Amino acid sequence: MTAYLGRRLAQALLQIWGAITIVFIALRVLPGDPAELILGSQATPEALEELRGSLGLDEPLLVQYATHMRDVVALDFGHSWRQSVSALDACLERLGSTLSLSAWAMVITIVLGFAAGSFAARRANTWADHLVSVSSLVGQALPPFWIGIMLSLIFARWLQILPSTADGTMVSLLLPAFTLALPFVGWLARLVRTGILEEMNQDYVRTAHAKGMSHRVVFSVHVLRNTLVPVVTMLGLLMGYFIANGVIVEVIFAWPGIGSLLIDSITFRDYAVVEAVLTVITVCYILLNLLVDVLYVYLDPRIQLENA
């Protein structure tokens, strides 16, 4: 078990290093001069050269990379020229909003997805099962930006019962959270339905019924736990998706998260903030995958035996 987790942690560190390197290279090859963007087109050549020197942009690329990696290890991404604060502080200030949005989207996905999947599995091959399957496919096919626009139009513009932008209240979380969650409710419902039906046909279920166990006990104690093994794996990846890909939703609903911060920073070539945001997103995604691996080992004892 310890060796397995050690290998996964080493892989996670390697992935983080690779992601930081890719971000560094991508930002350096983008067209445009950050110094000119900061000072404006009317800046003198001397002022531009001085700013490039202070930012380290006049150094060879390998020197810039070595300096950058040294600073990243010290959690120093530099300062945001737009906000005049530490780039990491600017990112962490917005991270809480993104995490709360992602958490509520995850709750909605789990509650609705498990309910719909269990409902469809218990009524397999009936009209109710077909209705859930068709609804799931439709939900997965709809792009998040369209869902967000339609929800905002219906509930904020026509019915006027929910705010369309962040106003600091919990109610303002509902529309963006549902927009993030809805495409994956059907996906989770289908996954849960398939898992339950596969487990219900296993020999241990028939044995449990033969011993006199009630259907409720067999379903909740045995079937549901074994169904959770693949589901938990995908939910961990889904949480990472919510954190990393909620950019469109945050822009639509003016949600003050790291997604909207990333868009603004890319637009104004605020290198320090872009690198800080992408690094934080990468670390969150990889740590969630590591957590999923730990939970997977706990839920499936066979992995413990393989790595013993």
Side-chain angles (χ1 to χ4, degrees):
M1 178 67 175
T2 303
Y4 172 75
L5 293 179
R7 290 196 302 270
R8 291 296 295 119
L9 182 60
Q11 293 173 5
L13 293 176
L14 185 61
Q15 291 168 346
I16 292 173
W17 169 78
I20 293 174
T21 301
I22 292 174
V23 170
F24 173 84
I25 296 175
L27 290 177
R28 292 319 187 269
V29 299
L30 286 175
D33 185 358
E36 184 176 344
L37 185 62
I38 294 173
L39 297 179
S41 58
Q42 304 300 321
T44 63
E46 293 77 13
L48 291 174
E49 193 65 28
E50 181 180 355
L51 181 57
R52 292 191 192 101
S54 64
L55 296 175
L57 298 177
D58 57 346
E59 298 286 349
L61 191 60
L62 289 179
V63 175
Q64 293 184 43
Y65 177 71
T67 303
H68 176 68
M69 293 304 298
R70 181 196 64 199
D71 292 339
V72 168
V73 171
L75 299 180
D76 180 11
F77 292 89
H79 279 70
S80 168
W81 67 267
R82 293 178 58 240
Q83 304 181 48
S84 299
V85 297
S86 166
L88 186 59
D89 289 343
C91 175
L92 296 180
E93 183 181 356
R94 299 280 197 99
L95 181 60
S97 297
T98 295
L99 291 179
S100 62
L101 175 61
S102 301
W104 276 103
M106 179 63 73
V107 170
I108 293 171
T109 302
I110 292 174
V111 172
L112 297 183
F114 265 91
S118 301
F119 178 80
R122 294 188 178 212
R123 293 162 179 80
N125 300 319
T126 65
W127 67 269
D129 181 23
H130 297 322
L131 179 61
V132 171
S133 297
V134 172
S135 301
S136 301
L137 290 174
V138 172
Q140 289 180 266
L142 297 177
F145 74 87
W146 186 87
I147 296 175
I149 293 173
M150 294 307 298
L151 289 179
S152 181
L153 185 64
I154 294 172
F155 292 99
R157 180 70 180 273
W158 294 346
L159 300 180
Q160 297 184 359
I161 58 177
L162 292 174
S164 62
T165 58
D167 58 6
T169 63
M170 292 296 295
V171 177
S172 62
L173 262 171
L174 293 178
L175 287 183
F178 267 98
T179 301
L180 267 180
L182 283 181
F184 297 96
V185 169
W187 164 81
L188 181 61
R190 296 175 64 191
L191 186 63
V192 170
R193 175 193 177 277
T194 302
I196 290 176
L197 292 179
E198 288 180 354
E199 294 299 325
M200 291 296 291
N201 292 323
Q202 298 297 320
D203 291 337
Y204 74 86
V205 174
R206 288 189 287 270
T207 302
H209 283 304
K211 290 182 177 180
M213 291 185 181
S214 66
H215 179 75
R216 178 179 298 179
V217 172
V218 173
F219 180 81
S220 59
V221 176
H222 299 288
V223 174
L224 194 57
R225 176 172 179 174
N226 289 328
T227 303
L228 285 176
V229 174
V231 171
V232 167
T233 302
M234 300 309 296
L235 286 179
L237 298 176
L238 186 58
M239 185 64 180
Y241 172 88
F242 287 155
I243 295 174
N245 297 283
V247 176
I248 296 176
V249 174
E250 290 186 6
V251 171
I252 291 174
F253 294 99
W255 189 257
I258 58 176
S260 55
L261 176 63
L262 177 63
I263 294 297
D264 292 340
S265 300
I266 292 176
T267 301
F268 292 99
R269 298 294 295 274
D270 197 345
Y271 276 163
V273 176
V274 172
E275 290 177 327
V277 171
L278 292 178
T279 301
V280 168
I281 290 175
T282 301
V283 171
C284 288
Y285 194 88
I286 292 174
L287 290 181
L288 283 170
N289 285 341
L290 187 61
L291 177 61
V292 166
D293 289 337
V294 175
L295 291 176
Y296 198 90
V297 171
Y298 171 74
L299 291 172
D300 192 348
R302 292 172 296 182
I303 299 181
Q304 298 182 23
L305 296 176
E306 292 174 1
N307 294 278

